[in-house]
Amino acid sequence: MPAPGENMKINGERLWDSLMEMAKIGPGVAGGNNRQTLTDEDSEGRHLFQDWCVAAGLTMGVDQMGNMFARREGTDPDALPVYVGSHLDTQPTGGKYDGVLGVLGGLEIIRTLNDLDIKTKHPIVVTNWTNEEGTRYAPAMLASGVFAGVHTQDWAYNIEDSEGLKFGDELARIGWRGDEEVGARKMHAFFELHIEQGPILEAEGKEIGVVTHGQGLSWVQVTVTGKDSHTGSTPMPMRKNAGLGMARMLELVDKIAWSHAPDAVGAAGHIEVFPNSRNVIPGKVVFTVDFRSPDLDTITDMETEFAVEAKQIAEEMGLGIEFEKVGGFDPVTFDEGCVSAVRNAAERLGYSHRNLISGAGHDACWINKTTPTAMVMCPCVDGLSHNEAEDISREWATAGADVLLHAVVETAGIVE
Ligand code: GLV
Ligand code: MN
Ligand code: MN
């Protein structure tokens, strides 16, 4: 099968315009986006994506988890499709590019193939995975996890958000619960384009990250219970301050992560304090500890150390404590063949590149369990992500989508 010529390029202006158009849906408070999963804004973004797909001649399929699959036919009816894509949902204070670049970059390669009248042997399918972010419904990468057989659909449907609304009900409410059986689709390969969300590419002046591995993650939700009481009149020795217990445990998370330097990281981004009133000593706190590392044993060690020492803190302070694992995945090694296709593409196009380990979780991490998978990354300014100020340049987005195009076309096979 011939390799694509090095002059085959996507339309960077059109990709950028689409990114800006999508960013108008679910605007944030500081220039980014709040398009959380299964909200009305999520639905609106999906409609826009669907309209663009139909205009590009694609056929849309939606599965029972709301995953969207837009298909461009290949010439061989027996060939499995090459899938591309990422997610359109965002963090509550998210950027315009996390996930969105991978979906609209996928659409842009289809538009380019249409413009150039290029046919491929394998079909190409552009995917939008539901609830990658895991903010409203933990865990992250929920629907790709069901697709890959890691979670059951029933379990996912019953997850509740902080207001007690169930995932399955909200999916139906916004009108995106499709008919397709989840995970029934078989793939030839999967490629995900994403911003790096870290500082390495920009610092080294590299245009492309060839993602060889992804670090693993553990989310443990901790509930600490004390006793609500008056902040003014409860004597110090009589207090059962769950908030203070949490403060000590957060120090512990940081200490444990540092003790496994340089690769391990840890923090608690989700914190709820009850009753959250200025003059009530918190009787209950709920927070989620996020530990990550490219090494599975390190993650397990960090989890164990935290559980042992946090229990000690609770005992010393007369507090109750419970742990619940609400998310996690093992470190990932991407497929050698797909990784080579990404590296070859960067080489052919003359883009500077280096290997990367992804610091964030991605739908590709789950799909890699069932299908040969790889990721392409482009730099982002100051490595900043999960922040409304998240930023990339048009040139970086274009380079990333060019590499995606070449890796996909090489894998899907050009028909002369
Ligand atoms: C997903 O966005 C994660 O890395 O938490
Ligand atoms: Mn993402
Ligand atoms: Mn994200």
Side-chain angles (χ1 to χ4, degrees), residues 86-87 89 98-100 132-133 192 194 197 360-362 386:
S86 191
H87 59 98
D89 70 315
D98 172 2
V100 188
E132 192 278 342
E133 293 293 1
E192 180 167 355
H194 208 283
Q197 306 181 279
H362 298 288
H386 286 189

Side-chain angles (χ1 to χ4, degrees), residues 64-139:
Q64 292 167 23
M65 284 296 289
N67 295 317
M68 301 172 70
F69 302 102
R71 175 179 169 118
R72 182 181 197 259
E73 292 304 331
T75 57
D76 180 350
D78 297 325
L80 289 176
V82 175
Y83 281 68
V84 297
S86 191
H87 59 98
L88 292 173
D89 70 315
T90 75
Q91 290 284 326
T93 53
K96 300 196 264 298
Y97 311 101
D98 172 2
V100 188
L101 178 65
V103 179
L104 300 185
L107 174 63
E108 176 51 40
I109 73 174
I110 300 286
R111 289 168 164 170
T112 300
L113 293 174
N114 289 349
D115 288 349
L116 301 176
D117 202 16
I118 292 173
K119 293 186 174 43
T120 56
K121 173 172 176 251
H122 293 255
I124 300 172
V125 177
V126 187
T127 309
N128 170 35
W129 298 106
T130 301
N131 186 31
E132 192 278 342
E133 293 293 1
T135 306
R136 189 173 170 206
Y137 292 101

Side-chain angles (χ1 to χ4, degrees), residues 370-392:
T370 63
T371 305
T373 295
M375 295 187 70
V376 185
M377 281 186 178
C378 72
C380 61
V381 174
D382 295 333
L384 184 67
S385 184
H386 286 189
N387 186 309
E388 294 203 36
E390 174 186 280
D391 197 16
I392 64 175

Side-chain angles (χ1 to χ4, degrees), residues 320-355:
I321 187 161
E322 277 170 35
F323 304 94
E324 185 191 352
K325 182 104 181 191
V326 290
F329 58 89
D330 294 350
V332 174
T333 302
F334 287 115
D335 177 74
E336 237 173 78
C338 291
V339 170
S340 297
V342 171
R343 193 178 292 112
N344 292 345
E347 285 285 324
R348 193 182 306 124
L349 289 157
Y351 289 127
S352 56
H353 60 89
R354 60 159 285 159
N355 290 350

Side-chain angles (χ1 to χ4, degrees), residues 4 13-14 18 39 48 76 84 94 159 181 196 199 207 210 227 235-236 273 306 337 354 358 383 402:
E13 285 300 307
R14 181 171 55 194
S18 298
T39 57
L48 178 60
D76 180 350
V84 297
I159 300 173
E181 184 191 333
E196 182 194 346
E207 293 156 299
V210 179
K227 190 170 192 177
M236 292 304 278
V273 178
F306 177 75
R354 60 159 285 159
S358 170
D402 277 340

